[in-house]
Amino acid sequence: MASINSGDHIWHPFTQMKTAAAPIHITKAKGCILYDANGNEYIDAVSSWWVNIHGHSNEIIANAIAEQAKLLEHVIFAGFTHSPAIKLSEQLIGILPNYFSKIFFSDDGSTSVEVAIKMALQYWHNQGHQHKTKIIAFENAYHGDTFGAMSAGDKSTFNAAFEKLLFEVAHIPTPNANNIHLLKKQIDELAKEDTVAAFIFEPLVQGSGGMLMHEAKYLDELITYCHQKNIICIADEVMTGFGRTGKNFAIEYLTNQPDIICLSKGITGGFLPLGVTVASQKIFDAFYADEKEKTFYHGHSYTANPLACAAANASLELLLNNKCQQQIKFIEEKHKAFANSIRTNEAVKDVRQQGTIIAIEFKTKEDTSYFSSVRNKLYQFYLSKGVLLRPLGNIVYILPPYCITEEELNKVYDAIIQSTELVKSEL
């Protein structure tokens, strides 16, 4: 029997398979370092799509999964429950603002958003307000790749093939001192017939949109105004949750809380897929009834998988210990210093930083774009320096595991500084 290249049958995500370079075969990883089949090392400065918050092959999380696997690997979650899910729900409610009370489990970030949108729409339906079906979202939003999540996201090349099939969503700019009054007028116009069901947003940082950032003060004002207009507010914290913005959750910077929160990515420390949608008691109460038609008919085969919940419980305990919290502060301070040092570089258009997230927007001949011609050159340059960074077009961001060392972080910064010469040559 002929040998088969194991990669020949794989269709990779966000990849034009005809023109893409061959994928790098990773054989193992530890801490912040990825090791490939040729013996090369790469600092994982993007936490493998933002999921790995404690470093790779963390023994505490690995052991928690192994111990759970010996007891219970999975059980249907309709009509049954288990200790890892109970513990995780209690841990999450314990560290979230006390406005929230119920946890609904799913599989990933996109499904946690689907759940939130369906909750918001059925919330109004269950109360006889079937006319409240409109959704408001931010421009440049990204909420996932399933149909509801795509609808809430900004229209782009990524979802152009499905545009006619997506439901209508009104997109408004992110708030600032100059436009907050105009945004309120826009909401007035959208809500004048009381048809808006929900406002969904990525709090403080829009990840895939280019690590675009807005102030908590004006987001707070917008949430207050939406609540006054009888609009449910949904915070998509899939990327910002679990310490990324400097606090456990970005909503901790807010005075006024959303009604629903979407969580995923860092929840299991990057070990297993898991999505969570957190609802306030007000939302839950609209489904708590004698009428069967008011049931929330949504579920996944792997809902609240015990192994994923065990990983999440271990990851949360690591996140909340003093060592990890100090590491988050260390990364934040290092990023601030780096931002100040590179801001004046002639290749740099803008620098944005929030907590452990920093984004450097490079100058290019064309407008800022995910498809900027400099993107692939930067990506390959960083790999050649032993650093994994995935530029969003001409925007390079660092979102590292919290265990990253000062030496590793400096190596990442150095690679970005060196890449400014490449950028200048393209101008």
Side-chain angles (χ1 to χ4, degrees):
M1 182 176 178
S3 62
I4 297 174
N5 181 337
S6 62
D8 288 348
H9 305 289
I10 296 174
W11 192 343
H12 289 271
F14 287 93
T15 302
Q16 176 44 261
M17 298 297 290
K18 185 174 182 179
T19 58
I24 297 169
H25 188 147
I26 299 299
T27 56
K28 63 179 181 178
K30 186 65 178 176
C32 291
I33 308 299
L34 304 171
Y35 301 88
D36 74 12
N38 295 318
N40 298 311
E41 299 180 9
Y42 308 91
I43 297 173
D44 187 355
V46 295
S47 300
S48 286
W49 257 340
W50 320 342
V51 301
N52 192 289
I53 61 176
H54 302 299
H56 295 277
S57 303
N58 181 282
E59 292 181 4
I60 292 174
I61 301 176
N63 289 337
I65 295 171
E67 290 304 311
Q68 182 58 46
K70 297 172 187 176
L71 295 173
L72 174 68
E73 83 300 339
H74 188 61
V75 65
I76 182 174
F77 208 60
F80 293 87
T81 191
H82 51 77
S83 295
I86 294 169
K87 181 178 178 180
L88 180 55
S89 65
E90 290 173 347
Q91 283 208 97
L92 286 172
I93 293 300
I95 62 172
L96 283 162
N98 60 14
Y99 182 68
F100 303 97
S101 64
K102 298 294 178 181
I103 302 288
F104 192 95
F105 293 95
S106 61
D107 296 346
D108 57 31
S110 187
T111 53
S112 74
V113 168
E114 294 286 330
V115 168
I117 291 172
K118 287 178 70 175
M119 276 183 182
L121 293 172
Q122 192 176 340
Y123 170 87
W124 295 115
H125 183 276
N126 282 2
Q127 297 181 90
H129 301 300
Q130 287 88 348
H131 60 285
K132 289 177 75 70
T133 58
K134 288 182 181 177
I135 307 289
I136 299 173
F138 281 144
E139 294 172 357
N140 301 302
Y142 174 82
H143 295 289
D145 298 321
T146 49
F147 267 77
M150 280 196 296
S151 296
D154 210 13
K155 303 304 175 281
S156 68
T157 302
F158 299 111
N159 51 41
F162 318 105
E163 191 167 337
K164 292 181 181 179
L165 303 172
L166 304 178
F167 59 77
E168 186 179 349
V169 171
H171 289 90
I172 62 175
T174 51
N176 57 49
N178 298 321
N179 72 3
I180 187 67
H181 296 299
L182 180 61
L183 292 185
K184 289 179 181 178
K185 288 181 180 179
Q186 282 186 262
I187 291 169
D188 281 340
E189 184 64 24
L190 290 166
K192 66 181 180 182
E193 295 179 358
D194 192 31
T195 55
V196 179
F199 163 46
I200 184 169
F201 56 91
E202 298 158 273
L204 306 190
V205 186
Q206 293 181 288
S208 295
M211 297 298 166
L212 304 174
M213 301 181 185
H214 52 275
E215 292 182 57
K217 174 182 177 182
Y218 301 107
L219 178 58
D220 230 342
E221 206 169 324
L222 212 53
I223 292 170
T224 301
Y225 202 70
C226 284
H227 279 153
Q228 289 171 359
K229 294 294 178 180
N230 215 19
I231 297 170
I232 290 169
C233 293
I234 302 169
D236 177 354
E237 287 237 35
V238 169
M239 187 272 283
T240 56
F242 306 103
R244 288 303 187 188
T245 62
K247 294 182 183 289
N248 290 332
F249 303 100
I251 59 170
E252 291 181 44
Y253 290 94
L254 303 173
T255 302
N256 300 296
Q257 293 302 314
D259 303 283
I260 301 172
I261 314 166
C262 307
L263 300 171
S264 188
K265 288 201 182 287
I267 192 169
T268 67
F271 272 72
L272 290 167
L274 180 66
V276 161
T277 306
V278 189
S280 66
Q281 189 67 37
K282 178 184 87 169
I283 299 297
F284 178 77
D285 285 346
F287 296 81
Y288 193 72
D290 293 323
E291 302 94 329
K292 293 222 179 268
E293 61 269 21
K294 291 188 176 181
T295 302
F296 188 53
Y297 288 112
H298 187 103
H300 299 256
S301 300
Y302 281 93
T303 294
N305 174 258
L307 301 179
C309 289
N313 284 321
S315 180
L316 267 180
E317 289 170 11
L318 286 169
L319 174 70
L320 297 175
N321 73 34
N322 187 60
K323 182 180 179 181
C324 185
Q325 293 296 314
Q326 289 302 315
Q327 275 291 111
I328 290 171
K329 291 183 174 64
F330 157 73
I331 296 167
E332 187 170 7
E333 291 306 312
K334 287 282 290 182
H335 279 354
K336 286 178 181 176
F338 179 60
N340 290 333
S341 69
I342 200 171
R343 198 181 303 276
T344 55
N345 189 293
E346 61 186 78
V348 174
K349 180 179 179 181
D350 187 34
V351 182
R352 302 182 282 275
Q353 186 262 328
Q354 173 70 57
T356 68
I357 306 165
I358 186 170
I360 299 93
E361 185 172 346
F362 286 127
K363 295 175 184 175
T364 53
K365 291 177 183 177
E366 67 270 25
D367 291 335
T368 293
S369 167
Y370 185 91
F371 299 101
S372 170
S373 59
V374 79
R375 186 265 173 202
N376 288 343
K377 293 177 182 178
L378 287 170
Y379 176 65
Q380 293 299 331
F381 176 83
Y382 297 136
L383 288 176
S384 74
K385 298 296 180 182
V387 176
L388 171 57
L389 290 167
R390 282 181 60 88
L392 299 165
N394 60 315
I395 299 166
V396 176
Y397 68 90
I398 310 171
L399 208 154
Y402 302 143
C403 65
I404 195 166
T405 66
E406 186 167 17
E407 181 182 359
E408 290 166 340
L409 205 44
N410 286 338
K411 184 175 179 179
V412 177
Y413 295 151
D414 288 343
I416 292 174
I417 292 169
Q418 292 171 42
S419 74
T420 59
E421 295 303 317
L422 185 156
V423 174
K424 291 173 190 175
S425 69
E426 295 289 314
L427 292 174

